[in-house]
Amino acid sequence: MEQAAFTGHQPVNNINVYYEFYPHQTSKKTFVLLHGFLSSTFTFRHLISLLKQDYQVLSVDLPPFGKSGKCNQYVYSYKNLAQTVIQLTKSLGLKKMTFIGHSMGGQIVLNILHMMPDIADKAILLCSSAYLKRSKLPLILTSYLPYFHRFVKYYFARTGVRKNLQDALYNHSIINEEMINGYLQPFLQDEIFIALTRMIRDREGDLPGKLLQQIKTPCLLIWGDHDKSMPLKVGEQLHKDLANSELIVLKETGHAVPEERPFEVFEYIKNFLESYQTAVE
């Protein structure tokens, strides 16, 4: 039975992390949801409404996004973000977890699985970031210039939320004011751009193939065939490098699969859990 949600901030790893926790009276299975770059737990709102009916759900705003802290002293590396999520799940006493990561959140999930192979029984990667290199040295050095965060803000202001959504979605007709405002809200204050400047320096790049090949956790990969951010060929290579993985391709779908195809994603997740459970038995 579904219970009331808990939302709030938890001081973890020297930063305040915002989370939404949806307990379930009879389910011991917990899904941990990690969003992508420039996003927040908002991106999972449709999927959460489906998952929480049968499972416990924890959705996290990865620093510095959403309502989480934007401290300039925090190290915004993938490794440290992964450690932060691990510490948050421990502080909440969660066990028997399945991680769901979209885009950059998928790369954080992969880091978690690499660091702590036993923390999750399964993982779902939605158009996961993979094989991206660290920022080039000239950009890293430039980020130390005074007020560089203003250039970062100007860049995002020029592209705009609507343009970013159009790039991420195949079906532009679903873009509405609620969606635009939901993605815009975290970027109305300057602190986010200062933190993003720090992230340019801290981000170490995605896990290389040799480390991905060491991950044995069963992984379901769900990809859009019209993904411009992480083209399908990235998913196909990730499927090859992850020894225990399955790849599902959604037709006429872009990068933002939790927005475009939440019902299909939910059904594939359920089937993945059931087929894996049957195989184990």
Side-chain angles (χ1 to χ4, degrees), residues 20-113:
E20 298 178 1
F21 181 61
Y22 302 84
H24 194 282
Q25 190 172 23
T26 58
S27 177
K28 295 182 180 179
K29 163 71 70 178
T30 302
F31 282 96
V32 179
L33 279 54
L34 303 180
H35 61 81
F37 186 66
L38 302 181
S39 189
S40 68
T41 193
F42 177 81
T43 198
F44 288 121
R45 65 198 181 284
H46 302 308
L47 190 56
I48 288 173
S49 68
L50 298 169
L51 289 170
K52 70 179 184 179
Q53 297 178 34
D54 299 309
Y55 311 100
Q56 293 195 132
V57 180
L58 172 68
S59 191
V60 182
D61 277 357
L62 295 168
F65 302 107
K67 299 177 183 177
S68 281
K70 295 153 181 63
C71 174
N72 194 36
Q73 283 70 49
Y74 181 81
V75 177
Y76 295 99
S77 67
Y78 287 163
K79 181 178 180 180
N80 200 40
L81 285 168
Q83 289 174 336
T84 301
V85 173
I86 291 169
Q87 290 182 32
L88 176 64
T89 61
K90 286 183 177 180
S91 71
L92 296 174
L94 298 181
K95 298 178 181 178
K96 202 173 183 181
M97 292 176 285
T98 294
F99 284 85
I100 302 178
H102 175 240
S103 194
M104 184 193 79
Q107 184 60 213
I108 305 303
V109 170
L110 290 170
N111 271 264
I112 291 171
L113 299 180

Side-chain angles (χ1 to χ4, degrees), residues 119-278:
I119 195 171
D121 55 358
K122 286 169 285 294
I124 292 90
L125 305 174
L126 309 176
C127 302
S128 175
S129 169
Y131 312 109
L132 294 178
K133 304 297 183 182
R134 192 181 183 207
S135 298
K136 294 185 180 299
L137 184 59
L139 177 59
I140 294 173
L141 293 176
T142 305
S143 73
Y144 286 93
L145 291 173
Y147 306 112
F148 179 80
H149 70 279
R150 294 182 180 177
F151 292 98
V152 177
K153 182 177 182 179
Y154 175 71
Y155 172 80
F156 287 112
R158 281 192 63 186
T159 55
V161 173
R162 182 179 291 273
K163 176 63 166 59
N164 287 336
L165 287 172
Q166 289 173 343
D167 289 341
L169 296 166
Y170 176 81
N171 180 10
H172 294 176
S173 68
I174 67 174
I175 299 174
N176 54 34
E177 290 304 310
E178 180 214 12
M179 189 184 296
I180 292 172
N181 290 334
Y183 284 99
L184 175 64
Q185 195 63 38
F187 297 93
L188 296 179
Q189 297 179 343
D190 282 349
E191 287 83 357
I192 180 67
F193 301 103
I194 296 173
L196 284 173
T197 299
R198 177 68 189 261
M199 196 173 200
I200 290 173
R201 307 167 198 163
D202 294 340
R203 188 183 68 88
E204 67 274 56
D206 295 345
L207 292 178
K210 64 180 180 180
L211 295 186
L212 292 173
Q213 292 162 14
Q214 297 174 12
I215 296 174
K216 305 304 180 186
T217 307
C219 294
L220 175 64
L221 281 57
I222 302 180
W223 233 268
D225 64 344
H226 285 75
D227 191 334
K228 297 178 182 178
S229 301
M230 286 291 148
L232 180 55
K233 63 181 181 181
V234 175
E236 292 170 342
Q237 182 59 48
L238 191 59
H239 175 41
K240 291 178 182 178
D241 280 333
L242 293 173
N244 196 1
S245 66
E246 176 184 350
L247 175 63
I248 301 293
V249 180
L250 301 178
K251 301 297 183 182
E252 298 185 341
T253 306
H255 183 64
V257 292
E259 289 284 2
E260 287 195 274
R261 305 288 186 183
F263 294 100
E264 290 92 332
V265 168
F266 176 65
E267 288 301 319
Y268 279 120
I269 290 173
K270 282 204 308 180
N271 292 338
F272 178 62
L273 296 184
E274 291 169 2
S275 63
Y276 183 78
Q277 184 63 35
T278 301

